Amino acid sequence: MSDPIKTDVLIIGAGPCGLFAVFELGLLDMKCHLVDILDKVGGQCAELYPEKPIYDIPGIPKCSAQGLVDSLMEQIKPFGAQFHLGEMVEEIERIGDPMFRVKTDAGNVFETKVVVIAAGGGSFQPKRPPIAGIEAYEAKSVHYAVRKMEQFRGKRILVAGGGDSALDWTLNLAPLASHLTLLHRRSEFRAAPDSVNKMMALVGEGKVDLVLGQATSLEGADGQITAVNVKRNDGSVFHIACDALLPFFGLTMKLGPVANWGLRLDEDLIPVDTGTFETSERGIFAIGDINTYPGKLKLILSGFHEGALMSQKAHRYVYPDKKLTFQYTTSSTSLQKKLGVN
């Protein structure tokens, strides 16, 4: 066992909500370490759709998912948060009130007064289509996420699925592809109506092909796909030539070790108090998609709000004898000094 790393707050998850929590906690003089199972910061935004546009961040009409992560990293620079990437928290043990000992699968041990779980839906993995031999093409010509749109420029693309991700990437990649086909097993879609309307407009203009059916087998060699065989709904077999297959059938979310941390759970989510976002365990908080409460909306901006309120209660555990006076960054010279803006 390594020597314990001591910190005020340990944040589990380095997605947007975890990153913004660093800012809110930092304003109140709490130091943070973050642990994330991914090898980079940003959570699902960075891992699954870094170039996907986001439109509902207050004051920012449009930004990419990766752009949001980059801005958050710039925003929290003054607070010197420490990141431990490619690690998974395995155990949380209460050793005081408040004090926790947290162990990761990489052998790191933390001693912290507050734990903040900002782990999204837990660990996640894309749902793989039931196609024999698809593993041989994954990461080379079968992709479950789009990290760089430019790699698809001029290629024949087959997008499979009928949800928001499938429709979003159909709309975003159609201008880049030499040819794009959308494959879905039925004519009804689960995506936002506006996206469906835009997709159908592209179909009407001949810019996207829409095929109803299911992929049955792949053709190609050395990891490079050349065609997908599709069984259409009328029973006929259709051959679609393509250079890349992008299946978007959703994600399988797994709580993993979170389920063993002694927290009260509600259908794999963590119930919280809506005034503080504290869990059933004193000193352990949950913000973002992993928590649940009446009226919960799984939006990044909601997670930001939760992080702000969480930090107020966390301050009581880290500084039990210090009175917290609420201040605004626009008028407080002490907060502006922490941010390096005066």
Side-chain angles (χ1 to χ4, degrees), residues 242-257:
C242 61
D243 305 306
L245 169 63
L246 281 64
F248 294 110
F249 296 146
L251 299 174
T252 299
M253 311 301 290
K254 296 182 178 180
L255 269 185

Side-chain angles (χ1 to χ4, degrees), residues 47-325:
E47 178 69 8
L48 297 181
Y49 44 86
E51 295 188 4
K52 184 176 179 179
I54 297 177
Y55 302 100
D56 60 356
I57 302 300
I60 304 176
K62 177 183 177 181
C63 66
S64 68
Q66 185 62 56
L68 175 63
V69 172
D70 293 342
S71 294
L72 287 165
M73 288 295 289
E74 181 69 24
Q75 188 176 33
I76 66 174
K77 268 186 180 179
F79 303 115
Q82 300 294 307
F83 292 87
H84 307 266
L85 303 176
E87 297 185 34
M88 180 173 65
V89 170
E90 292 188 323
E91 298 179 26
I92 299 178
E93 176 189 5
R94 184 183 294 276
I95 58 174
D97 191 15
M99 187 60 69
F100 300 92
R101 181 177 292 122
V102 180
K103 300 177 182 178
T104 76
D105 62 352
N108 275 325
V109 179
F110 299 87
E111 289 186 358
T112 179
K113 294 180 180 179
V114 170
V115 174
V116 178
I117 304 171
S123 61
F124 56 90
Q125 59 188 36
K127 293 180 181 177
R128 177 183 284 151
I131 302 173
I134 193 172
E135 297 88 347
Y137 297 91
E138 290 174 346
K140 187 168 184 180
S141 57
V142 172
H143 306 274
Y144 299 105
V146 177
R147 296 184 175 87
K148 292 184 179 180
M149 290 198 298
E150 275 299 317
Q151 75 180 100
F152 298 102
R153 183 177 293 278
K155 292 189 176 182
R156 301 168 299 172
I157 301 172
L158 174 60
V159 176
D164 285 312
S165 292
L167 271 291
D168 286 349
W169 287 119
T170 294
L171 298 176
N172 282 295
L173 293 174
L176 298 181
S178 64
H179 186 270
L180 190 145
T181 301
L182 175 63
L183 174 66
H184 187 42
R185 64 184 183 275
R186 59 178 184 268
S187 57
E188 294 79 26
F189 293 86
R190 304 182 311 279
D194 182 62
S195 297
V196 176
N197 292 337
K198 289 178 179 177
M199 179 274 294
M200 294 303 296
L202 292 178
V203 172
E205 295 167 6
K207 297 178 180 178
V208 168
D209 286 343
L210 174 60
V211 175
L212 301 182
Q214 298 186 63
T216 57
S217 62
L218 308 180
E219 297 182 12
D222 299 323
Q224 179 55 56
I225 196 171
T226 57
V228 175
N229 294 310
V230 173
K231 184 177 182 180
R232 290 193 280 203
N233 293 348
D234 62 7
S236 61
V237 176
F238 189 64
H239 180 88
I240 302 177
C242 61
D243 305 306
L245 169 63
L246 281 64
F248 294 110
F249 296 146
L251 299 174
T252 299
M253 311 301 290
K254 296 182 178 180
L255 269 185
V258 178
N260 302 318
W261 294 345
L263 303 173
R264 185 166 64 88
L265 300 176
D266 181 2
E267 295 184 354
D268 287 344
L269 296 172
I270 303 174
V272 291
D273 173 80
T274 54
T276 62
F277 297 95
E278 196 164 17
T279 70
S280 58
E281 289 291 320
R282 281 170 44 84
I284 301 181
F285 300 81
I287 62 175
D289 286 358
I290 202 162
N291 75 15
T292 184
Y293 52 86
K296 168 72 177 184
L297 292 177
K298 290 191 174 185
L299 296 172
I300 293 174
L301 64 90
S302 298
F304 290 168
H305 157 79
E306 295 162 10
L309 290 188
M310 170 277 297
S311 66
Q312 301 290 303
K313 181 64 178 291
H315 186 272
R316 299 184 201 175
Y317 291 120
V318 176
Y319 300 110
D321 300 321
K322 185 176 180 181
K323 182 179 179 181
L324 177 60
T325 301

Side-chain angles (χ1 to χ4, degrees), residues 10-32:
L10 180 70
I11 301 173
I12 303 171
C17 295
L19 296 179
F20 189 68
V22 172
F23 179 83
E24 291 293 331
L25 292 161
L27 288 177
L28 303 181
D29 296 319
M30 288 175 275
K31 300 299 183 183
C32 301

